[in-house]
Structures are given as structure tokens and as C-alpha cells.
Amino acid sequence: MSGYVGILVSDPWLQNQFTQVELRSLKSHFMSMRRESGKLTLRDLASRMSRLKVVGENLTEEERASFIQDLYQNLDDEVDFEFFLKVYLKLHAYASARTGSVAKNSSAFLKATTTTLLHTISEPEKASYVAHINNYLGEDDFLKKYLPIDPSTNDLFEIAKDGVLLCKLINVAVPGTIDERAINTKRVLNPWERNENHTLCLNSAKAIGCTVVNIGTQDFIEGRRHLVLGLISQIIKIQLLADLNLKKTPQLVELVDNSKDVEELMSLPPEKILLRWMNFQLKKAGYKKTVTNFSSDVKDAEAYAHLLNVLAPEYSNPSTLAVKDHLERAKLVLEHADRMGCKRYLTAKDIVEGQPNLNLAFVAHIFQHRNGLSSTQTKQMSFLETLPDDTQISREERAFRFWMNSLGNSTYIDNVFEDLRNGWVLLETLDKVSPGIVNWKIANKPPIKLPFRKVENCNQVVKIGKQLKFSLVNIAGNDIVQGNKKLILAYLWQLMRCNILQLLKNLRFHSHGREITDADILKWANTKVHDAGSQSRMDSFKDKSLSDGIFFLELLSAVQPRAVNWSLCTKGITDEEKRMNATYIISIARKLGCSIFLLPEDITEVNQKMILTLTASIMYWFLKQPLEEKPNGTSDSETISNSTVDDYASESSLEENGNL
């Protein structure tokens, strides 16, 4: 995150979108626009945004006006600064999409549907995802009264407005992500309850690897169709690719020849593994070409015909490869897939048009249904036995990876040990954590062919880490380039911790800008729980008594009394009770607005690092709330600060006068 800019914006989502420098520049533009007539309406924006980079340079006034008119009904609504920022973000993304300037290194599936805010949607994709939802959620006790959804209507977006559907879909993709006890499932939800569901959905989506940088709760409440569909597509993709790793499908080692290749396979993103599997099967069929994408390389349906003949020869049709017409061949391929029992994700037309998302979904579904790999490969299985099985490393890598992806860097990270080795994404993350700290003049932007250029980037990463007072004894830039797992994880933990402490420091609820420490966080949490009338406390972030979850339930109840339904909690005595409390704690924290990336095991096993991030995230959420919204109007000044809300008043006057 770029750091809390308190006085300029209060919306946590907006805080993540800009550096402080960008916000001050945009604030200056906004104040200038408003001074022209004393107020600023949506109707005014199209003409007055001409001076803004990207938005003004790449879109005509007519294009800006048309885009705004499509998004908003009442153009006479007055625009405040935060509303202006939201419109600006959408226009900026639209302009970037028009000029093709979306980051080239981004994962196309993830980026195209979220950060490219086009106000059109793909009807074939909508129909496919609706069929998926009807199939997987049709028997859900709450949703079955709304399903099946008719794909020819916009009912999907209406049903998604209360957030329940999206939360349930996340649980289909990654079971257990959301504790359903935390979802508001009344027949009619009030605006507060709807917002809670969407907040829970967005924070949980980030926690399973979705990119939601340009999506806010209001977008779902207002039914922004392209954004809803974009998130749904990511969730479904995560579900379909879930088995494409060696842990879930150890038979994948059949694709490699030795243990070194196994390690390389483990580092590949799921899409790459799927392509590798597809080409492995096509080679068996004698297919000479190599499929490198799920678009142009499969348009003629020839690769599909060969693939299905290998996987299910008993259903093959000799005429499939004989026909010359691509559309006709695609129809025969889908008939073959139906005979195999594979549910379609696309039509013949989608194949010949090269719809990448739907083709990927189709192939992933085939892999799930029938991958054609041997179940007993003793030679390859022995490779897996030689590889370290460090569950702790795997969990931490996952948490840091999803945290970095949530920041909206230019490259989507699939594996921190591989994707950070050139140093670029680490530099981007450092710049978001501490704006202006990176010397971009000496940084080398990907693609980087020369190894020493990667070392230069990583040397700057280490140098900045030392500036930020990280413990980096015996760590050099080359250690990152070489993919040293323990050193990379140690660096990322300190970077994530620094980000949290920086956010807390920037809240101005502390004394004269002094640094927030782990001890401050510990003291704050114990004080909140004590003041709420509980005897629970934690001695440290590795206090084993925390494993039952009771302390964090007390803490969440202290910061928001209505958050915890105590009738749904357990005593935390057995392992199962502890896990139930842990999943509930995580979902409640996300429902409040905490962006956290830990797993229930991190609580039940008392992972010191993740316990700290959880506590700090709850503290950060609480301190951001306006004073009047806190329980009993309490302030934390007695705990960590001597400052008061007068700080906000004094800076607000400066802001209104355009002096920031």
C-alpha cells in the first residue's frame, strides 16, 4: 500500500490507489476545477479533465462525456474530492485500455478483467460463468431460490448486489476461505449489511489471489457489470486451475525427466503448467505444432481434436480432423467433449474467435476430468520425495505473494522465489510502502537479459532495506537473484511488517510522528480487551494461549461490539473448536475491512509473524474509524498518542484553501 494519506482521503480503498505525491497533485487540480464556478458536477468533469495526463491526452471531451454518462445517472450530482478520484481512476483505466498501455508483463486473464475498466462485457463469458454458477451453487440452501440464473438477462448482476453469491463462489473455488457464519444472509439486507458482505468478499478475494485493485464495494452495490464479471472470472479461474500443482496432482511429474525439472515445474504458474500438459499429450498424438496460448493457437480446433483423441479415443470421430471448416471442426470437438462428460465452457464460435478466458477454462476442465497421466510413476514419484516439504515456507510464501499482488504491481506474482529474482517488483513494492524511496534512474526495467542488471536491482533492494532498518546480516542482492528462499522470506516479512507499521504511523493517532513498535501494538490490543471488561490478554505474539482464538474474538468484539455473534463461537478446547474459532476470526476481520492473508493454521499454531499482522490490521482498521463511530466514542490517545482530532481540523482548513 502506498501509505495512509489520512487528511486527503478517508476511503481505505482509495488510499491504496495513489502515492502521496499523486494525491496532492490531483487535489490541486480538483481545487482548481472547483474554483472556476464554486462547485463541480459530474457534467463539468468531461471538459475540465482535459488538463490531466492520460485522461486528457488520450480521450476527447466527447469520449469522456460518453463514458461518464454510461456510468452515472444524474450528471448534476456535485463531486467531492473522493468521488472525483473514483471517476478519474475509471477514466484513466479506460484511456489506458484504449491506448494499449496495460502492463505487458501482467497475467492477461487477471489484468484484462479488472484493471482494464471497459464498460462493455463479453456476453459469451457471462453465459459461461452463469452456467458455472448454476452448476456449483444451484443446491445452496440460500441461493437456490434465485438460481438457476438466466444468462440472457442481467439477473447475475442483480443477485450479486447483496454479496452473498460472490462469497459463496469464493468458497467453491477455495473451500473454507470464508466462514459462512460471517456472511449476512437475511432475505432483505440493509445497506450496512450489504457493504459488510462486499467488504468480506473483496478482502477474501485478495486472500485467494485475485487482483481487485480498481474494485470497491460501491461498484458491486451499483452493479458495475464489467467489474462483477471480472472478479467472477478470476474466482472461477482459480477454481479450475486449483489442481495444477504437484501437491494436488503428483502425477504431473510425468511431464519432466529429472528432479531439476521438477523444481522448475513447481515454480511455473498454473496456466503454464496447463500448456505444458497439453503439449505433452499432443506430442503423443503426433501433433507437430506447439501450443503457446489459449487463443490464436487453438482457433482451428485441430489441437483440441488431437488432444481429445489421446485422452478419450473411444469417443473419437474420424471426420473431426478431415473437415476443412474450422467452425465445423470446433462443433465436432465439443461433441467429443460432451461424450467424455466434460461440461462446456465455450461454444464452437468461441473457439474459432480465440476467446482466451473461455478456452483456458475449457482446457482446465478437461484436465480436471481426465488428465491422461499415469497414476503409478515410481521413477518420477521418487523425485518428489527428494524435494523438501516445508509447510511453513509454503504458507509464508503464499501470504507474501497474495499481499504483494494486492498492491497492484505491474507484474502478477505466481511464485515469489522465481518472480522476484530480477528485483523489479520488489522495487515497486518498496515504492508503495515508502513512496519516493526508490531511485528509479538506476533501476533496470524488465525484460532484463543481462544477469548483472538483475543484481543491480536487487542490490538497491537490499540497500533500501537497510535504510528502513531491516535486519539484513549477510544478505546481498545476489541472494535474491539466486532465489534463496529463506533470505527472500525474511526480507518479505520485514517489508510487510514495515508496511503495517508505516500505515499505523501515518494515521496521526500517535505522538508527534514517533515510530509505532510491536510493543505498542501488543499494548493497544491488551488495553482494548481489558477496557471491554475481559480478563483475556496475550503476553506476546507467540503466546500459545492464543491458539483457542478467544483473545481475538474478544478484541474484535471490543473494536466493534456487533461484529461477533458469540452464539456461533466455541470454547476453543478441541482442535476442531480452535479451527472453527480461527476461521470465524479471519472472516470477521475481513468483513470489518482488514486486508489480511493468514490461514486458520496460523492462529491455531500461533505463527508469531501472522499473529502480529492480524493484530496490527485490526488496530489499523479501528484507528481509521471516525471518532463518533467508535464504541462509546473512545479514543486511543491515552494508549499510544497525545494527539487529538484537532490535527484533522487544522489540516482540513489547509486542504480547502488549496495549500496541500
Side-chain angles (χ1 to χ4, degrees):
M1 290 176 234
S2 59
Y4 183 75
V5 196
I7 179 88
L8 290 178
V9 292
S10 59
D11 186 330
W13 176 72
L14 284 173
Q15 295 160 21
N16 292 335
Q17 313 306 313
F18 304 96
T19 65
Q20 295 188 35
V21 172
E22 290 168 338
L23 272 175
R24 293 184 190 282
S25 174
L26 287 168
K27 181 67 176 182
S28 176
H29 280 291
F30 172 77
M31 298 301 293
S32 176
M33 291 178 197
R34 199 166 69 173
R35 276 196 294 269
E36 290 180 19
S37 60
K39 71 173 186 176
L40 191 65
T41 66
L42 275 167
R43 194 182 304 279
D44 300 327
L45 287 181
S47 61
R48 297 188 190 177
M49 278 183 153
S50 60
R51 288 168 289 181
L52 295 174
K53 286 185 177 180
V54 181
V55 169
E57 295 169 357
N58 298 321
L59 296 173
T60 65
E61 183 176 332
E62 290 74 22
E63 287 171 332
R64 291 193 296 273
S66 174
F67 184 83
I68 292 170
Q69 192 165 3
D70 285 344
L71 284 178
Y72 304 102
Q73 292 181 339
N74 189 356
L75 297 182
D76 293 320
D77 283 348
E78 191 166 348
V79 177
D80 62 14
F81 182 49
E82 293 196 1
F83 194 3
F84 163 76
L85 290 176
K86 290 176 182 178
V87 178
Y88 169 78
L89 277 172
K90 289 174 170 56
L91 277 167
H92 189 286
Y94 176 51
S96 298
R98 289 283 301 275
T99 57
S101 60
V102 177
K104 292 182 180 178
N105 293 330
S106 304
S107 169
F109 190 100
L110 290 166
K111 292 289 182 182
T113 52
T114 54
T115 58
T116 308
L117 300 182
L118 297 172
H119 54 297
T120 58
I121 63 170
S122 165
E123 289 297 331
E125 283 192 38
K126 185 183 77 171
S128 178
Y129 301 151
V130 163
H132 181 99
I133 289 167
N134 288 338
N135 183 54
Y136 283 95
L137 291 172
E139 297 304 313
D140 181 86
D141 289 341
F142 178 80
L143 292 173
K144 61 185 178 185
K145 56 181 173 286
Y146 304 110
L147 302 182
I149 300 169
D150 182 350
S152 67
T153 69
N154 284 324
D155 289 354
L156 170 64
F157 308 111
E158 288 302 312
I159 295 170
K161 282 184 177 181
D162 67 7
V164 178
L165 176 89
L166 295 170
C167 287
K168 299 267 190 178
L169 192 61
I170 287 172
N171 270 356
V172 169
V174 184
T177 299
I178 296 175
D179 190 320
E180 297 206 0
R181 293 173 293 176
I183 305 174
N184 298 319
T185 54
K186 294 191 308 188
R187 182 175 290 273
V188 178
L189 299 178
N190 62 42
W192 178 272
E193 291 165 330
R194 275 188 173 189
N195 189 68
E196 284 185 331
N197 279 351
H198 289 302
T199 303
L200 173 59
C201 165
L202 287 174
N203 283 318
S204 300
K206 285 193 286 186
I208 66 169
C210 295
T211 301
V212 297
V213 174
N214 281 331
I215 306 177
T217 57
Q218 194 63 26
D219 293 312
F220 292 114
I221 293 167
E222 294 177 7
R224 301 259 189 269
R225 298 184 303 159
H226 56 291
L227 296 179
V228 173
L229 202 66
L231 182 59
I232 288 172
S233 69
Q234 291 188 71
I235 296 168
I236 291 175
K237 179 196 174 190
I238 286 168
Q239 176 188 343
L240 291 173
L241 298 181
D243 292 341
L244 280 151
N245 60 73
L246 289 170
K247 187 174 181 181
K248 292 279 188 70
T249 312
Q251 295 83 10
L252 282 166
V253 292
E254 191 178 344
L255 305 183
V256 300
D257 296 322
N258 54 55
S259 57
K260 185 176 180 181
D261 289 340
V262 170
E263 290 195 57
E264 180 194 343
L265 187 69
M266 290 174 70
S267 70
L268 292 176
E271 304 99 303
K272 297 291 185 185
I273 296 177
L274 190 62
L275 283 170
R276 192 157 175 172
W277 165 79
M278 187 174 178
N279 285 308
F280 175 80
Q281 300 295 357
L282 288 173
K283 191 175 180 181
K284 291 181 185 177
Y287 188 67
K288 302 299 182 185
K289 300 175 186 176
T290 299
V291 177
T292 62
N293 58 61
F294 294 105
S295 183
S296 58
D297 287 359
V298 294
K299 279 184 175 182
D300 60 7
E302 192 175 336
Y304 283 152
H306 282 95
L307 177 66
L308 297 186
N309 283 345
V310 168
L311 296 177
E314 69 272 26
Y315 300 121
S316 63
N317 182 342
S319 63
T320 303
L321 287 167
V323 298
K324 300 298 182 184
D325 182 73
H326 293 175
L327 186 64
E328 188 60 34
R329 184 185 299 139
K331 290 178 181 177
L332 293 173
V333 161
L334 292 179
E335 288 175 7
H336 190 163
D338 273 348
R339 290 192 292 273
M340 287 171 61
C342 288
K343 187 171 71 69
R344 299 181 184 184
Y345 276 91
L346 75 180
T347 64
K349 185 181 178 185
D350 296 328
I351 292 176
V352 298
E353 289 180 355
Q355 292 271 4
N357 290 0
L358 298 182
N359 276 293
L360 183 146
F362 177 61
V363 177
H365 184 69
I366 292 171
F367 176 87
Q368 283 187 340
H369 186 76
R370 187 181 294 198
N371 61 40
L373 300 173
S374 303
S375 57
T376 54
Q377 286 284 324
T378 54
K379 178 185 173 185
Q380 281 89 347
M381 291 300 181
S382 66
F383 294 155
L384 289 179
E385 292 170 6
T386 65
L387 297 173
D389 180 24
D390 195 322
T391 305
Q392 186 66 34
I393 284 180
S394 176
R395 288 217 306 259
E396 290 191 2
E397 186 274 339
R398 174 189 180 280
F400 299 145
R401 170 162 40 98
F402 290 161
W403 167 65
M404 294 182 76
N405 283 333
S406 76
L407 303 180
N409 291 313
S410 64
T411 303
Y412 186 86
I413 303 167
D414 289 293
N415 183 303
V416 298
F417 306 126
E418 293 298 320
D419 298 346
L420 302 186
R421 288 169 65 171
N422 64 20
W424 182 260
V425 180
L426 278 170
L427 289 172
E428 286 188 317
T429 306
L430 283 162
D431 195 54
K432 285 180 165 61
V433 171
S434 185
I437 202 167
V438 176
N439 183 352
W440 291 109
K441 292 180 180 178
I442 62 171
N444 303 290
K445 188 174 183 178
I448 305 172
K449 295 181 179 179
L450 300 174
F452 77 92
R453 296 293 187 194
K454 298 178 183 179
V455 175
E456 286 178 347
N457 278 354
C458 292
N459 281 342
Q460 187 178 178
V461 166
V462 173
K463 181 181 177 182
I464 293 172
K466 290 177 179 175
Q467 282 179 244
L468 295 172
K469 299 179 181 177
F470 293 179
S471 175
L472 299 174
V473 180
N474 297 326
I475 296 182
N478 196 50
D479 292 314
I480 299 173
V481 176
Q482 296 299 319
N484 186 308
K485 291 185 178 181
K486 289 190 176 179
L487 295 182
I488 289 174
L489 289 180
Y491 190 98
L492 288 178
W493 158 240
Q494 293 180 86
L495 183 55
M496 188 178 186
R497 176 178 170 276
C498 175
N499 178 227
I500 294 170
L501 297 180
Q502 188 68 28
L503 290 172
L504 288 168
K505 176 186 174 184
N506 288 341
L507 281 177
R508 301 184 58 82
F509 275 95
H510 51 82
S511 179
H512 308 296
R514 75 172 179 84
E515 300 293 331
I516 296 293
T517 65
D518 295 1
D520 289 324
I521 299 169
L522 184 70
K523 180 182 178 183
W524 174 84
N526 279 325
T527 301
K528 294 307 301 177
V529 171
H530 178 269
D531 289 352
S534 172
Q535 299 303 310
S536 298
R537 65 171 285 107
M538 62 172 164
D539 294 328
S540 69
F541 296 114
K542 54 184 177 181
D543 185 341
K544 292 300 181 184
S545 70
L546 298 172
S547 66
D548 63 12
I550 301 299
F551 178 84
F552 287 107
L553 290 169
E554 297 275 12
L555 179 59
L556 288 165
S557 183
V559 300
Q560 176 51 269
R562 63 183 292 275
V564 178
N565 183 342
W566 285 99
S567 67
L568 301 176
C569 303
T570 76
K571 294 181 180 179
I573 297 173
T574 66
D575 288 345
E576 179 58 26
E577 286 181 344
K578 289 178 179 179
R579 182 174 179 82
M580 287 178 68
N581 281 351
T583 58
Y584 190 53
I585 288 163
I586 291 170
S587 291
I588 290 298
R590 288 177 179 152
K591 184 177 176 179
L592 286 179
C594 299
S595 183
I596 49 177
F597 301 90
L598 74 166
L599 294 170
E601 295 88 335
D602 292 316
I603 296 176
T604 59
E605 296 172 15
V606 193
N607 179 327
Q608 180 181 358
K609 296 174 184 176
M610 295 300 130
I611 292 291
L612 170 59
T613 63
L614 172 62
T615 312
S617 296
I618 297 171
M619 179 180 177
Y620 176 63
W621 175 84
F622 177 76
L623 296 182
K624 283 197 284 106
Q625 305 312 301
L627 196 62
E628 63 272 13
E629 292 183 14
K630 295 182 182 179
N632 305 319
T634 56
S635 166
D636 281 84
S637 57
E638 70 277 3
T639 321
I640 60 170
S641 167
N642 295 319
S643 62
T644 69
V645 290
D646 290 341
D647 289 334
Y648 292 98
S650 63
E651 290 199 23
S652 294
S653 61
L654 285 171
E655 188 183 347
E656 289 301 310
N657 290 324
N659 293 327
L660 289 181

